[in-house]
Amino acid sequence: MPAAPNHAELLDRLGEVAVRVGLNIALGQQLLITAPLEAVPLVRRITEHAYRAGASLVSTFYTDDETTLARFRHAPDDAFDTAAKWLHDGMADAYRNGAARLAITGGNPILLARENHERVARASRANSLAGRASMELITNFAINWNIVACATPAWAQQVFPDLPADQALARLWDAIFAASRVTADDPVAEWARHNEILHRRAAWLNERRFAALHFRGPDTDLTVGLADGHAWAGGSEPARNGIVCNPNIPTEEVFTTPHARRVNGTVRATKPLFHQGTLIDDIAVRFEEGRIVEASASAGQEVLTRILDTDEGARRLGEVALVPASSPISSSGILFRNTLFDENAASHIALGQSYTKCMLDTDSLTEAQLSERGANSSFIHIDWMIGSNRIDVDAITHDGSRESLMKQGEWTSQP
């Protein structure tokens, strides 16, 4: 029996999966990476695999928790309405000229928990404004892009607070490797098999073309209308530049665009949301005609209110996703405190910006025409989990009949 791969080998596999599965980097393509400083070993593996695959130039921009905190503790108050627009504009220009995008997540989920919430919100809004052009190229799937994770000491201590620092870091790396499917003998082939499952689910939903979804369970009775001409997606998808990529590593979801004005009812979150360093727990909201009109949280209420007040679209939905309660991430029993992982443990919805890639025939449509079909526009896109083994999901057809999709969080109707 061959020996189990060691950490270095698994890290190299993750780098290979990020390039070959996540990005499917093209010959001569440039790559822009953003990453925390602690991710240098993973960045090196990704960079090597990218050049081996034919990338012409890999450029990495690092973030550092200590310098981020220095800003919030020592910068003048008016500094928090400022963002590096020159950097975002440069990235947008790179994407327009064919560059791919890779983000490595792994920051401390509570880094800004003790900082001034108003300043955090202002800085986030300024950054969203500055990055609108580059983010639209990503949300419209104009380029091949990908997000992968790197375990860091600060994140690991939040996930495994009862373990010594070195053990917590090792446990988090193990969980990342398993969820990212790099522990398989042939991770690239394993991803091909997994993508096929997600593709079949999305294709079946697209054939049925349901009008709405109805979520039912404890404190949840929510009807989510689907956008006119919506399209389900999941796993690898072709970007508008023709390159097939997997935007999220890991991923367990199939998702689409809800109608921004056809969401009604109540829903309670089934997992906490970690946003800009703050834990927002036990979220409960009520929708009327697509808009959140009541919202509460047992923790993080102030931050939740600031999120909802970001702009008009922040109180409306931009995504709905179905994930079985038995997904590997859910089965791990780990609360990752990171949306990339936690959203793949449960069905979820997202406040804010829609992915127009999940709508048919949108190339020539104006923003007003997209809105008429149900697309939402916002500076934010924030996922939060509403699924569990206590939630049922029915599909509603255009004639009002119903079909069970999920019982107790598991698929009942699928190929």
Side-chain angles (χ1 to χ4, degrees):
M1 179 181 294
N6 60 32
H7 177 84
E9 291 168 332
L10 290 169
L11 195 70
D12 187 69
R13 289 184 183 184
L14 183 58
E16 181 182 21
V17 163
V19 171
R20 293 184 58 191
V21 176
L23 293 171
N24 193 18
I25 201 84
L27 184 66
Q29 191 173 30
Q30 290 193 39
L31 172 61
L32 270 63
I33 302 174
T34 57
L37 277 178
E38 296 91 339
V40 168
L42 178 57
V43 170
R44 288 171 177 164
R45 305 275 38 87
I46 290 171
T47 299
E48 179 178 328
H49 282 289
Y51 282 129
R52 287 179 179 273
S56 61
L57 180 65
V58 180
S59 303
T60 303
F61 299 87
Y62 290 98
T63 58
D64 171 56
D65 285 353
E66 290 301 316
T67 53
T68 298
L69 286 175
R71 181 189 187 196
F72 283 93
R73 293 173 179 174
H74 305 296
D77 185 69
D78 59 2
F80 298 96
D81 298 312
T82 302
K85 190 173 186 303
W86 57 272
L87 178 59
H88 291 290
D89 287 348
M91 288 183 170
D93 187 59
Y95 303 152
R96 292 188 193 101
N97 284 282
R101 166 80 164 104
L102 187 140
I104 300 177
T105 183
N108 183 351
I110 63 165
L111 179 67
L112 302 179
R114 297 183 179 180
E115 306 308 314
N116 182 288
H117 289 165
E118 181 190 7
R119 287 183 168 185
V120 172
R122 286 166 53 199
S124 176
R125 180 176 175 80
N127 200 54
S128 295
L129 282 167
R132 188 70 182 265
S134 60
M135 185 55 63
E136 283 181 348
L137 291 166
I138 292 171
T139 59
N140 292 337
F141 221 41
I143 61 169
N144 49 321
W145 60 276
N146 175 244
I147 305 174
V148 295
C150 169
T152 62
W155 180 19
Q157 284 286 271
Q158 291 300 312
V159 178
F160 302 107
D162 298 327
L163 293 180
D166 58 340
Q167 293 180 31
L169 186 63
R171 281 284 303 277
L172 183 55
W173 267 123
D174 288 344
I176 290 171
F177 290 146
S180 303
R181 300 175 182 268
V182 300
T183 55
D185 291 338
D186 186 341
V188 174
E190 178 63 21
W191 269 101
R193 287 189 289 270
H194 182 52
N195 278 327
E196 179 57 30
I197 293 171
L198 297 176
H199 292 164
R200 286 201 306 267
R201 289 176 181 165
W204 182 83
L205 289 162
N206 283 327
E207 288 173 4
R208 302 307 304 274
R209 200 67 60 190
F210 295 114
L213 304 178
H214 184 203
F215 293 82
R216 290 177 292 116
D219 299 320
T220 292
D221 185 358
L222 181 72
T223 300
V224 179
L226 302 180
D228 299 334
H230 68 276
W232 288 88
S236 60
E237 297 286 339
R240 293 176 188 261
N241 61 6
I243 299 174
V244 176
C245 65
N246 263 87
N248 290 353
I249 301 289
T251 185
E252 303 290 337
E253 64 179 331
V254 289
F255 59 97
T256 194
T257 299
H259 197 295
R261 296 177 297 282
R262 297 178 188 164
V263 182
N264 290 282
T266 57
V267 63
R268 184 176 295 275
T270 52
K271 291 181 182 291
L273 169 65
F274 294 87
H275 181 71
Q276 296 178 345
T278 297
L279 166 67
I280 310 175
D281 201 7
D282 201 28
I283 300 171
V285 303
R286 182 167 65 87
F287 286 88
E288 286 185 0
E289 297 181 350
R291 188 174 186 273
I292 292 176
V293 295
E294 294 179 10
S296 65
S298 61
Q301 175 72 52
E302 179 185 351
V303 174
L304 176 62
T305 300
R306 289 186 184 278
I307 289 172
L308 297 176
D309 290 342
T310 301
D311 53 31
E312 167 58 25
R315 289 178 177 264
R316 300 181 185 272
L317 296 187
E319 178 188 344
V320 60
L322 298 176
V323 179
S326 60
S327 78
I329 295 173
S330 177
S331 298
S332 75
I334 298 171
L335 179 63
F336 283 86
R337 298 172 178 251
N338 181 296
T339 300
L340 176 63
F341 290 83
D342 292 335
E343 73 169 3
N344 285 297
S347 294
H348 54 272
I349 52 180
L351 299 172
Q353 181 67 36
S354 295
Y355 289 131
T356 53
K357 75 179 273 310
C358 289
M359 297 178 71
L360 301 172
D361 305 321
T362 60
D363 287 347
S364 62
L365 298 186
T366 65
E367 188 168 333
Q369 290 170 323
L370 288 169
S371 176
E372 180 66 24
R373 286 178 51 180
N376 192 34
S377 179
S378 176
F379 288 126
I380 68 168
H381 181 94
I382 300 174
D383 299 272
W384 51 287
M385 283 51 76
I386 65 170
S388 75
N389 60 8
R390 302 176 68 192
I391 300 294
D392 298 337
V393 184
D394 288 347
I396 303 174
T397 65
H398 288 276
D399 65 8
S401 61
R402 288 174 173 266
E403 182 172 335
S404 173
L405 288 184
M406 287 183 159
K407 283 287 188 185
Q408 297 182 328
E410 298 301 326
W411 288 97
T412 56
S413 298
Q414 64 163 333

